[in-house]
Amino acid sequence: MNSDKIALVETSFAQVAPIKDMAAELFYSRLFTIAPEVEPMFKGDMKAQGAKLMATLAVAVNGLRDLDALIPVIQDLAARHVTYGVTPKHYEPVGEALLWTLKQGLGDGYTPEVEAAWIEAYTILSETMVASAYPKAAPAADVAAE
C-alpha cells in the first residue's frame, strides 16, 4: 500500500473510533445477516467481543506503515482463528461486513478512495492470514463493495 492509501485508512478509522461500540454492533449484526453460519462461533459476551474487534482493527491500522512488524501479529491472530473454526471462506463475508460498517459509520466520508484503500488493506491482511493458517488454501476472495 502506498502512504496515501494508508493515510486514508488511518484517518477514516480515527473517525469511526469514537463510535467503536456502535461500529462493533453494526459489524456483527451485518456479519450474522450475511453469514449466519458464523454466529455459533461467538459464544461469549458480544460487547467484549466487539471491544476485541475494534482493538484488533486498531493494531492492524496502526501497523500498516510497518508490515514487517505487523505480519507476525496477523499470523498469530490467524492461528487463533483456526481454533475457533474459522475457514478461508469466512474471510470474504468478514470483509464485506467491515466495508458495510465503515460505510455506515463514515456516511459521506466513505468515498470511493476510502473504500479502495480499505479493500486493499483488508485484502493484504486477509490473504496473509489465510496463507499463514491454511498454507494449501487459495487466497481469500477479493472483497467487493455492496
Side-chain angles (χ1 to χ4, degrees), residues 12-109:
S12 59
F13 186 72
Q15 293 169 340
V16 173
I19 59 162
K20 63 184 176 187
D21 292 340
M22 182 180 18
E25 286 180 34
L26 286 169
F27 171 83
Y28 285 111
S29 175
R30 181 67 176 169
L31 180 61
F32 298 157
T33 297
I34 63 175
E37 69 276 8
V38 304
E39 190 169 3
M41 293 180 193
F42 296 89
K43 298 174 173 83
D45 174 13
M46 287 308 293
K47 186 168 178 119
Q49 180 63 38
K52 289 178 189 177
L53 168 71
M54 296 306 290
T56 300
L57 281 173
V59 168
V61 168
N62 293 329
L64 289 174
R65 293 191 185 273
D66 187 1
L67 285 178
D68 289 338
L70 180 59
I71 286 175
V73 174
I74 295 303
Q75 290 172 328
D76 181 60
L77 180 65
R80 287 195 314 268
H81 277 74
V82 171
T83 67
Y84 307 142
V86 173
T87 66
K89 71 179 181 178
H90 294 132
Y91 285 83
E92 184 176 346
V94 166
E96 289 177 23
L98 175 62
L99 293 177
W100 182 87
T101 300
L102 290 165
K103 185 175 184 178
Q104 305 314 302
L106 294 170
D108 291 342

Side-chain angles (χ1 to χ4, degrees), residues 1 5 8-9 99 110-121:
M1 287 187 78
K5 289 180 181 178
L8 284 172
V9 170
L99 293 177
Y110 188 76
T111 64
E113 295 80 14
V114 168
E115 179 181 64
W118 273 96
I119 289 171
E120 186 172 340

